[in-house]
Amino acid sequence: MQRFSGFGLISHGLSYHENWQKMWRNPTPKKSYDVIIIGGGGHGLGTAYYLAKEFGIRNVAVIEKGWLGGGNTARNTTIVRSNYLWDEAAALFEHSMKKWEGLTQELNYNVMFSQRGVLNLGHTLQDMRDIQRRVNANRLNGIDGEVLNARQVQDLEPLLDCSARARFPIMGASWQARGGVARHDAVAWGFARGADAHGVDILQQTEVTGLMIRDGQIYGVHTNRGDIEAKTVGCVVAGNSGVLAKMAGIRLPLESHPLQALVSEPLKPVVNTVVMSNHVHGYISQSDKGDLVIGAGIDGYTGYGQRGSYPIIEHTLQAIVEMFPAFSRVRMNRQWGGIVDTTPDASPIISKTSVNGLYFNCGWARVASKPHRDRRMSSRRAWRSVRCIRWRPRSLSIVSILARWLMNTAQQQWRTNLAREDI
């Protein structure tokens, strides 16, 4: 693999940049591989890269039905943060954050990771209680976090409406200075380039049409380019995980929902950080090109259509204008939709299945971009057959449901007591 450098840029400039090495090969599929990974997004490519780099498993194929980065990887807003409440989530995403901080150097490819900070706004007393609780939990886990008042928020984002006359007054925010954004395409391309350099075959325009399963063991996949054999297959196809699982006779506890985002016309730098608000249901950042990148929550209906709907766009822009009145006359440039896979408890699945050799990595919903860099940990656990099962096929644990119900009841009682103390 040819390494990128300032000297290389100058030397290739002398030849009008016509002799650059191709980023990755487009090989003809082999008859068999040691491992097949279905899905050429950030998670799939990251898994292939670490299988080859860390564990020496190089006879690997990444199968993508379209082009690299053409699925959900290129359809998200790529916000990277680790300020999650629960210990398990905080540890996972903080580990991922630390890996993001060195990803450009490791891949020798600029993923444009910008640590501009993430603001989570609070508009009510309950919002501020939740923010304080989450920041305290982060600090106990060694994660940076700070509670800001309205004036400090205004200093960071002068265009935010922090006045008392706002419909949803801003009382404060949580602040994680190490959070930020990255370039989703560059992440996919960087991992693809690194995986290819270690011998991984990346098969684009190759759609899986079926799974080859006999006696509870997977033997390969059927594709539009012929059958490809492998006794280890990993499915990393995000919103289409349920479709692929059905091919194996497995019913996953997933729902696939459209998630929409949109960008504006290019502007001069006006948004300094990533601004998120669960109360008004919108978030915004500014790309390096100057576009305002805007998103909100998932659509209420299930589906696989990668397109938008006017009510969601209207609601999202209403939320943004509530926070930034100055953006009311900014013109929107384009809009798109992606498909996210959500589980009942909002926890991801990294698991073996009832079919020997078949693994699934799914259920990341709206946090898929944050753990791209964490594929080293998941690939080690899955492909080295370490038991990492959060969900068991065909059944949901009654004990876990009861425990979650008791936990929710305790949380509600705690909030009630806290409110009474404030009164």
Side-chain angles (χ1 to χ4, degrees), residues 186-238:
V187 174
W189 298 337
F191 273 131
R193 180 172 175 266
D196 179 82
H198 286 90
V200 173
D201 281 359
I202 298 173
L203 309 177
Q204 301 181 78
Q205 306 298 329
T206 306
E207 182 176 1
V208 173
T209 58
L211 302 178
M212 300 162 58
I213 299 174
R214 295 193 303 274
D215 300 325
Q217 167 70 48
I218 192 159
Y219 286 91
V221 296
H222 302 291
T223 76
N224 59 348
R225 300 175 66 181
D227 294 348
I228 306 175
E229 297 179 359
K231 291 190 177 181
T232 303
V233 176
C235 301
V236 196
V237 293

Side-chain angles (χ1 to χ4, degrees), residues 249-268:
I250 299 171
R251 184 177 181 182
L252 292 177
L254 291 175
E255 286 187 347
S256 294
H257 291 260
L259 177 63
Q260 299 178 48
L262 61 159
V263 296
S264 74
E265 60 186 340
L267 303 174
K268 292 182 178 180

Side-chain angles (χ1 to χ4, degrees), residues 80-381:
V80 180
R81 59 189 177 94
S82 61
N83 57 345
Y84 287 82
L85 174 63
W86 303 114
D87 293 347
E88 297 81 2
L92 174 66
F93 290 109
E94 177 62 14
H95 178 77
S96 181
M97 174 74 79
K98 292 177 180 177
K99 298 297 184 181
W100 271 104
E101 291 172 334
L103 185 58
T104 289
Q105 290 74 22
E106 178 178 345
L107 295 178
N108 184 230
Y109 194 87
N110 186 9
V111 299
M112 301 172 71
F113 180 41
S114 172
Q115 292 179 283
R116 60 188 65 179
V118 175
L119 282 169
N120 287 88
L121 302 180
H123 301 271
T124 66
L125 287 174
Q126 186 58 51
D127 285 347
M128 295 309 298
R129 294 188 189 102
D130 292 340
I131 284 173
Q132 185 72 61
R133 180 189 180 202
R134 179 158 47 84
V135 169
N136 288 340
N138 290 160
R139 288 179 173 177
L140 288 173
N141 283 309
I143 299 170
D144 63 310
E146 187 177 351
V147 179
L148 305 182
N149 58 37
R151 178 170 294 182
Q152 291 171 310
V153 173
Q154 187 80 81
D155 291 341
L156 284 171
E157 288 294 347
L159 287 183
L160 262 176
D161 184 4
C162 296
S163 66
R165 67 178 181 273
R167 183 182 179 189
F168 301 102
I170 296 173
M171 302 182 67
S174 69
W175 169 246
Q176 186 180 27
R178 290 168 56 236
V181 296
R183 172 73 177 180
H184 41 62
D185 294 329
V187 174
W189 298 337
F191 273 131
R193 180 172 175 266
D196 179 82
H198 286 90
V200 173
D201 281 359
I202 298 173
L203 309 177
Q204 301 181 78
Q205 306 298 329
T206 306
E207 182 176 1
V208 173
T209 58
L211 302 178
M212 300 162 58
I213 299 174
R214 295 193 303 274
D215 300 325
Q217 167 70 48
I218 192 159
Y219 286 91
V221 296
H222 302 291
T223 76
N224 59 348
R225 300 175 66 181
D227 294 348
I228 306 175
E229 297 179 359
K231 291 190 177 181
T232 303
V233 176
C235 301
V236 196
V237 293
N240 290 303
S241 296
V243 176
L244 210 59
K246 189 175 181 180
M247 296 179 183
I250 299 171
R251 184 177 181 182
L252 292 177
L254 291 175
E255 286 187 347
S256 294
H257 291 260
L259 177 63
Q260 299 178 48
L262 61 159
V263 296
S264 74
E265 60 186 340
L267 303 174
K268 292 182 178 180
V270 290
V271 180
N272 303 319
T273 66
V274 179
V275 180
M276 310 179 71
S277 173
N278 290 331
H279 199 92
V280 300
H281 219 199
Y283 56 88
I284 186 171
S285 63
Q286 190 166 15
S287 72
D288 293 330
K289 296 188 298 181
D291 306 344
L292 299 179
V293 183
I294 299 169
I298 62 176
D299 288 13
Y301 60 88
T302 58
Y304 297 95
Q306 294 179 326
R307 56 185 180 273
S309 59
Y310 285 112
I312 296 295
I313 298 171
E314 183 179 17
H315 174 76
T316 302
L317 291 178
Q318 181 184 17
I320 296 302
V321 173
E322 290 283 355
M323 295 188 291
F324 294 89
F327 293 160
S328 62
R329 293 184 178 273
V330 175
R331 290 170 292 190
M332 294 299 109
N333 190 12
R334 64 185 183 277
Q335 179 274 346
W336 65 91
I339 307 302
V340 296
D341 45 337
T342 60
T343 58
D345 60 359
S347 297
I349 298 171
I350 307 175
S351 176
K352 297 178 180 180
T353 68
S354 55
V355 177
N356 189 32
L358 180 64
Y359 302 85
F360 272 86
N361 171 11
C362 56
W364 292 95
R366 289 184 293 164
V367 298
S369 65
K370 303 172 188 66
H372 282 342
R373 188 57 179 83
D374 231 15
R375 293 307 97 215
R376 180 173 65 86
M377 183 168 65
S378 64
S379 62
R380 176 185 300 174
R381 291 179 179 178

Side-chain angles (χ1 to χ4, degrees), residues 21-39:
Q21 185 183 50
K22 287 187 177 181
M23 293 276 287
W24 57 80
R25 299 167 292 120
N26 283 305
T28 301
K30 299 179 185 177
K31 183 178 180 180
S32 65
Y33 292 91
D34 294 333
V35 177
I36 289 175
I37 297 172
I38 306 172

